[in-house]
Amino acid sequence: MCGIVGLLIKNPKLRPQLGQLMLPMLIGMTERGPDSAGLAVYTSAVGANERKFSLYAFEEDFSWQKLGHDFQQHLGSAVTMVPQANHAILTTHLEPATVRVWLKEHYPSLHLLSVGQLMDIYKDVGTPAQVAARYDFASLQGTHLVGHTRMATESAVTPSHAHPFTAGEDFSLVHNGSLSNPNSIRRKLEPLGIEFETDNDTEAACRFLQWRLREGDDLKTALMAGFDELDGFYTFLMGTRNEMALVRDAFACKPAVVAETDDYVAIASEFRSLAHLPDVKNAHLFEPMPEELYVWKV
Amino acid sequence: MESLDLHKISVRDLNHFLHKEAPAKGVKQVEVLNPDGAHNIAAGMDYATTIDIQGHGGYYVGGMNKHADITVHGNVGWGVAENMMSGSVRVKGFASESAGASGHGGTLIIEGDASLRCGISMKGIDIVVGGNVGNFSCFMAQAGRLVVCGDAGDGLGDSLYEAVIYVKGKIKSLGADARVEEMTDADYAAVKELLDRAGFKHDPKEFKRVASAKTLYNWNADANQEY
């Protein structure tokens, strides 16, 4: 099943309340996705030469302080670490490739969730309320976010299999639905140098889009190619640096409803996740049409 | 009139009231406050009463309804009035997918648009939609009538049995075995009666009739699986 939520704040005054406004949306989708939850949040950008890395440690008592210390010792470069439970955001001006290699060599058990200048990813197993409490989602600030509550149907329940998935920098994708050809997509992309981290179907969709974007497609063209290549059911909600985008497959078996006011654009699988939003009674409410790309800009 | 607030009681409590206490007390009018998209509101009614839902409903509003007249003063999620037997459900806003699915009887009126698969597998229900209907509407519909005052999406009436569809606007495409047929006096009278029931002002002369060509009723070995 799964639930998706997205919130883009138009009114800058409300951006400090992004997490607070979103939290009941995510928890409202618990019945659709009780086993894992996660989100990608777009916050203020790091410096032009910096990148931030969202990291996940499977051990609860993992020492982020030691990692920061080792990083500075080995690479001779300043780093900031912002830990929160099993998760931490590492910010550095070193090249992503350098950081990746170093992490793989020295901390192979760590899971690198995302790389970017604006985006942080948090995801874990547990009910949406548990995950939200563990990572203090209520305190999140920023322009927009995409979130997911998972009811696994095709691969294991682990933090790595939870959504969002990411492809390239500052791109995130959450998925309600299932794909029937993730393995053939994988067989097509791996020889092209695209690496997979899990056997999850959504990751296959994400890598497919990553490949198309890498080849020069814009998001719309990449998604049009997806209509031909991705076999299955999906409502995809995506985040980029300055956009939130949504698309549903031709059969539109997976729901979505949009509420738009002067202050925000909110998306959820069902209206019950939007009912608490301020002034939702006067919002423009609509259901996105199948095979149409909807894009909202920050 | 009884007023029940879903911020104060659960849907289970509400439906228990509607199924047991309302008939016992002879309640003729019920108002439901703060529905906030909850599922199964007023599902399984078996009692003639008027129910006003003040806001947006979730999935299966008025599902399996018998006798009750239900009005939603807002939008509804999937499967509104699914498998309805009698009575009526009116949606003032739009309805999500599979509105009136498998309905056996009664009238479903949607003042706004209905999404995909409206009237899928309907079995005698009458559905009147003030706006458009989405793709694959009336798929395998067996009996009953669907009136669409706006446009219809792709694959309208695919694999129809005896249900009849009347469309005022454009039809994006017809499904397998569906065809546009001549309107007869009986059809004009039927459209007028259904529009009157819904309270929609349209000229029945502007509607087209879509029904089954019945080429799928019998197996045709020569078709070579191509339909």
Side-chain angles (χ1 to χ4, degrees), chain B residues 44-64:
Chain B
M45 289 300 296
D46 191 10
Y47 169 61
T49 185
T50 301
I51 302 171
D52 282 277
I53 298 163
Q54 304 292 359
H56 305 304
Y59 288 16
Y60 317 126
V61 173
M64 300 175 280

PDB file of all heavy atoms in Angstrom, chain B residues 44-64:
ATOM      1  N   GLY B  44     -22.961   0.639   5.200  1.00  0.00           N
ATOM      2  CA  GLY B  44     -23.822  -0.435   5.721  1.00  0.00           C
ATOM      3  C   GLY B  44     -25.149   0.031   6.275  1.00  0.00           C
ATOM      4  O   GLY B  44     -25.747  -0.637   7.124  1.00  0.00           O
ATOM      5  N   MET B  45     -25.693   1.150   5.797  1.00  0.00           N
ATOM      6  CA  MET B  45     -27.004   1.619   6.277  1.00  0.00           C
ATOM      7  C   MET B  45     -28.107   0.660   5.836  1.00  0.00           C
ATOM      8  O   MET B  45     -28.076   0.127   4.728  1.00  0.00           O
ATOM      9  CB  MET B  45     -27.302   3.017   5.729  1.00  0.00           C
ATOM     10  CG  MET B  45     -26.470   4.119   6.328  1.00  0.00           C
ATOM     11  SD  MET B  45     -26.676   4.274   8.105  1.00  0.00           S
ATOM     12  CE  MET B  45     -28.398   4.744   8.233  1.00  0.00           C
ATOM     13  N   ASP B  46     -29.067   0.470   6.709  1.00  0.00           N
ATOM     14  CA  ASP B  46     -30.208  -0.401   6.390  1.00  0.00           C
ATOM     15  C   ASP B  46     -31.472   0.230   6.957  1.00  0.00           C
ATOM     16  O   ASP B  46     -32.329  -0.444   7.533  1.00  0.00           O
ATOM     17  CB  ASP B  46     -29.969  -1.798   6.996  1.00  0.00           C
ATOM     18  CG  ASP B  46     -30.981  -2.825   6.485  1.00  0.00           C
ATOM     19  OD1 ASP B  46     -31.722  -2.506   5.538  1.00  0.00           O
ATOM     20  OD2 ASP B  46     -31.024  -3.935   7.048  1.00  0.00           O
ATOM     21  N   TYR B  47     -31.568   1.542   6.858  1.00  0.00           N
ATOM     22  CA  TYR B  47     -32.630   2.274   7.553  1.00  0.00           C
ATOM     23  C   TYR B  47     -32.862   3.603   6.828  1.00  0.00           C
ATOM     24  O   TYR B  47     -31.909   4.292   6.466  1.00  0.00           O
ATOM     25  CB  TYR B  47     -32.170   2.523   8.998  1.00  0.00           C
ATOM     26  CG  TYR B  47     -33.024   3.492   9.783  1.00  0.00           C
ATOM     27  CD1 TYR B  47     -34.371   3.236  10.023  1.00  0.00           C
ATOM     28  CD2 TYR B  47     -32.467   4.664  10.278  1.00  0.00           C
ATOM     29  CE1 TYR B  47     -35.141   4.137  10.749  1.00  0.00           C
ATOM     30  CE2 TYR B  47     -33.228   5.563  11.010  1.00  0.00           C
ATOM     31  CZ  TYR B  47     -34.561   5.296  11.235  1.00  0.00           C
ATOM     32  OH  TYR B  47     -35.326   6.160  11.943  1.00  0.00           O
ATOM     33  N   ALA B  48     -34.127   3.973   6.628  1.00  0.00           N
ATOM     34  CA  ALA B  48     -34.459   5.197   5.884  1.00  0.00           C
ATOM     35  C   ALA B  48     -34.314   6.415   6.786  1.00  0.00           C
ATOM     36  O   ALA B  48     -35.153   6.656   7.666  1.00  0.00           O
ATOM     37  CB  ALA B  48     -35.878   5.107   5.339  1.00  0.00           C
ATOM     38  N   THR B  49     -33.246   7.137   6.596  1.00  0.00           N
ATOM     39  CA  THR B  49     -33.031   8.370   7.341  1.00  0.00           C
ATOM     40  C   THR B  49     -32.207   9.297   6.446  1.00  0.00           C
ATOM     41  O   THR B  49     -31.623   8.850   5.455  1.00  0.00           O
ATOM     42  CB  THR B  49     -32.307   8.095   8.677  1.00  0.00           C
ATOM     43  OG1 THR B  49     -32.214   9.312   9.421  1.00  0.00           O
ATOM     44  CG2 THR B  49     -30.912   7.550   8.464  1.00  0.00           C
ATOM     45  N   THR B  50     -32.169  10.580   6.796  1.00  0.00           N
ATOM     46  CA  THR B  50     -31.382  11.530   6.015  1.00  0.00           C
ATOM     47  C   THR B  50     -30.076  11.793   6.754  1.00  0.00           C
ATOM     48  O   THR B  50     -30.093  12.055   7.958  1.00  0.00           O
ATOM     49  CB  THR B  50     -32.177  12.848   5.875  1.00  0.00           C
ATOM     50  OG1 THR B  50     -33.398  12.538   5.223  1.00  0.00           O
ATOM     51  CG2 THR B  50     -31.415  13.862   5.063  1.00  0.00           C
ATOM     52  N   ILE B  51     -28.977  11.689   6.044  1.00  0.00           N
ATOM     53  CA  ILE B  51     -27.672  11.899   6.679  1.00  0.00           C
ATOM     54  C   ILE B  51     -26.941  13.000   5.923  1.00  0.00           C
ATOM     55  O   ILE B  51     -26.749  12.903   4.704  1.00  0.00           O
ATOM     56  CB  ILE B  51     -26.833  10.609   6.676  1.00  0.00           C
ATOM     57  CG1 ILE B  51     -27.586   9.487   7.394  1.00  0.00           C
ATOM     58  CG2 ILE B  51     -25.466  10.845   7.325  1.00  0.00           C
ATOM     59  CD1 ILE B  51     -26.943   8.121   7.249  1.00  0.00           C
ATOM     60  N   ASP B  52     -26.553  14.051   6.623  1.00  0.00           N
ATOM     61  CA  ASP B  52     -25.769  15.138   6.015  1.00  0.00           C
ATOM     62  C   ASP B  52     -24.359  15.104   6.573  1.00  0.00           C
ATOM     63  O   ASP B  52     -24.161  15.266   7.777  1.00  0.00           O
ATOM     64  CB  ASP B  52     -26.423  16.493   6.313  1.00  0.00           C
ATOM     65  CG  ASP B  52     -27.619  16.730   5.409  1.00  0.00           C
ATOM     66  OD1 ASP B  52     -27.409  17.172   4.261  1.00  0.00           O
ATOM     67  OD2 ASP B  52     -28.745  16.441   5.846  1.00  0.00           O
ATOM     68  N   ILE B  53     -23.393  14.888   5.696  1.00  0.00           N
ATOM     69  CA  ILE B  53     -21.994  14.835   6.121  1.00  0.00           C
ATOM     70  C   ILE B  53     -21.377  16.198   5.797  1.00  0.00           C
ATOM     71  O   ILE B  53     -21.265  16.576   4.625  1.00  0.00           O
ATOM     72  CB  ILE B  53     -21.261  13.676   5.416  1.00  0.00           C
ATOM     73  CG1 ILE B  53     -21.931  12.358   5.818  1.00  0.00           C
ATOM     74  CG2 ILE B  53     -19.776  13.677   5.761  1.00  0.00           C
ATOM     75  CD1 ILE B  53     -21.598  11.192   4.923  1.00  0.00           C
ATOM     76  N   GLN B  54     -21.019  16.929   6.840  1.00  0.00           N
ATOM     77  CA  GLN B  54     -20.600  18.331   6.665  1.00  0.00           C
ATOM     78  C   GLN B  54     -19.089  18.423   6.485  1.00  0.00           C
ATOM     79  O   GLN B  54     -18.352  18.731   7.412  1.00  0.00           O
ATOM     80  CB  GLN B  54     -21.039  19.168   7.875  1.00  0.00           C
ATOM     81  CG  GLN B  54     -22.530  19.122   8.169  1.00  0.00           C
ATOM     82  CD  GLN B  54     -23.372  19.821   7.101  1.00  0.00           C
ATOM     83  OE1 GLN B  54     -22.854  20.374   6.139  1.00  0.00           O
ATOM     84  NE2 GLN B  54     -24.676  19.788   7.260  1.00  0.00           N
ATOM     85  N   GLY B  55     -18.627  18.130   5.267  1.00  0.00           N
ATOM     86  CA  GLY B  55     -17.196  18.200   4.991  1.00  0.00           C
ATOM     87  C   GLY B  55     -16.827  17.106   3.996  1.00  0.00           C
ATOM     88  O   GLY B  55     -17.696  16.541   3.332  1.00  0.00           O
ATOM     89  N   HIS B  56     -15.516  16.802   3.920  1.00  0.00           N
ATOM     90  CA  HIS B  56     -15.037  15.809   2.954  1.00  0.00           C
ATOM     91  C   HIS B  56     -15.019  14.414   3.565  1.00  0.00           C
ATOM     92  O   HIS B  56     -14.540  14.226   4.681  1.00  0.00           O
ATOM     93  CB  HIS B  56     -13.634  16.161   2.477  1.00  0.00           C
ATOM     94  CG  HIS B  56     -13.519  17.545   1.900  1.00  0.00           C
ATOM     95  ND1 HIS B  56     -14.306  17.974   0.852  1.00  0.00           N
ATOM     96  CD2 HIS B  56     -12.720  18.592   2.222  1.00  0.00           C
ATOM     97  CE1 HIS B  56     -13.994  19.230   0.560  1.00  0.00           C
ATOM     98  NE2 HIS B  56     -13.047  19.636   1.373  1.00  0.00           N
ATOM     99  N   GLY B  57     -15.516  13.445   2.816  1.00  0.00           N
ATOM    100  CA  GLY B  57     -15.500  12.050   3.269  1.00  0.00           C
ATOM    101  C   GLY B  57     -14.292  11.321   2.706  1.00  0.00           C
ATOM    102  O   GLY B  57     -13.693  11.752   1.724  1.00  0.00           O
ATOM    103  N   GLY B  58     -13.948  10.196   3.316  1.00  0.00           N
ATOM    104  CA  GLY B  58     -12.844   9.370   2.816  1.00  0.00           C
ATOM    105  C   GLY B  58     -13.351   8.285   1.896  1.00  0.00           C
ATOM    106  O   GLY B  58     -14.233   8.521   1.073  1.00  0.00           O
ATOM    107  N   TYR B  59     -12.820   7.067   2.048  1.00  0.00           N
ATOM    108  CA  TYR B  59     -13.207   5.952   1.196  1.00  0.00           C
ATOM    109  C   TYR B  59     -14.557   5.375   1.656  1.00  0.00           C
ATOM    110  O   TYR B  59     -14.877   5.366   2.838  1.00  0.00           O
ATOM    111  CB  TYR B  59     -12.158   4.839   1.273  1.00  0.00           C
ATOM    112  CG  TYR B  59     -10.839   5.147   0.588  1.00  0.00           C
ATOM    113  CD1 TYR B  59     -10.483   6.443   0.221  1.00  0.00           C
ATOM    114  CD2 TYR B  59      -9.947   4.121   0.292  1.00  0.00           C
ATOM    115  CE1 TYR B  59      -9.279   6.710  -0.414  1.00  0.00           C
ATOM    116  CE2 TYR B  59      -8.739   4.382  -0.341  1.00  0.00           C
ATOM    117  CZ  TYR B  59      -8.410   5.679  -0.688  1.00  0.00           C
ATOM    118  OH  TYR B  59      -7.214   5.923  -1.325  1.00  0.00           O
ATOM    119  N   TYR B  60     -15.298   4.852   0.693  1.00  0.00           N
ATOM    120  CA  TYR B  60     -16.497   4.026   0.943  1.00  0.00           C
ATOM    121  C   TYR B  60     -17.614   4.741   1.704  1.00  0.00           C
ATOM    122  O   TYR B  60     -18.360   4.112   2.457  1.00  0.00           O
ATOM    123  CB  TYR B  60     -16.115   2.728   1.696  1.00  0.00           C
ATOM    124  CG  TYR B  60     -14.872   2.072   1.169  1.00  0.00           C
ATOM    125  CD1 TYR B  60     -13.802   1.769   1.996  1.00  0.00           C
ATOM    126  CD2 TYR B  60     -14.752   1.774  -0.185  1.00  0.00           C
ATOM    127  CE1 TYR B  60     -12.643   1.191   1.502  1.00  0.00           C
ATOM    128  CE2 TYR B  60     -13.607   1.199  -0.695  1.00  0.00           C
ATOM    129  CZ  TYR B  60     -12.552   0.909   0.156  1.00  0.00           C
ATOM    130  OH  TYR B  60     -11.416   0.348  -0.337  1.00  0.00           O
ATOM    131  N   VAL B  61     -17.756   6.043   1.500  1.00  0.00           N
ATOM    132  CA  VAL B  61     -18.882   6.757   2.124  1.00  0.00           C
ATOM    133  C   VAL B  61     -20.180   6.145   1.586  1.00  0.00           C
ATOM    134  O   VAL B  61     -20.350   5.995   0.367  1.00  0.00           O
ATOM    135  CB  VAL B  61     -18.860   8.262   1.781  1.00  0.00           C
ATOM    136  CG1 VAL B  61     -20.122   8.946   2.281  1.00  0.00           C
ATOM    137  CG2 VAL B  61     -17.632   8.926   2.379  1.00  0.00           C
ATOM    138  N   GLY B  62     -21.082   5.774   2.474  1.00  0.00           N
ATOM    139  CA  GLY B  62     -22.384   5.227   2.052  1.00  0.00           C
ATOM    140  C   GLY B  62     -22.273   3.886   1.350  1.00  0.00           C
ATOM    141  O   GLY B  62     -23.190   3.492   0.630  1.00  0.00           O
ATOM    142  N   GLY B  63     -21.173   3.176   1.558  1.00  0.00           N
ATOM    143  CA  GLY B  63     -21.015   1.855   0.944  1.00  0.00           C
ATOM    144  C   GLY B  63     -22.127   0.921   1.385  1.00  0.00           C
ATOM    145  O   GLY B  63     -22.545   0.960   2.544  1.00  0.00           O
ATOM    146  N   MET B  64     -22.649   0.128   0.464  1.00  0.00           N
ATOM    147  CA  MET B  64     -23.695  -0.881   0.732  1.00  0.00           C
ATOM    148  C   MET B  64     -24.993  -0.241   1.216  1.00  0.00           C
ATOM    149  O   MET B  64     -25.843  -0.925   1.804  1.00  0.00           O
ATOM    150  CB  MET B  64     -23.202  -1.915   1.767  1.00  0.00           C
ATOM    151  CG  MET B  64     -21.977  -2.654   1.314  1.00  0.00           C
ATOM    152  SD  MET B  64     -21.319  -3.742   2.577  1.00  0.00           S
ATOM    153  CE  MET B  64     -20.416  -2.590   3.587  1.00  0.00           C
TER     154      MET B  64
END
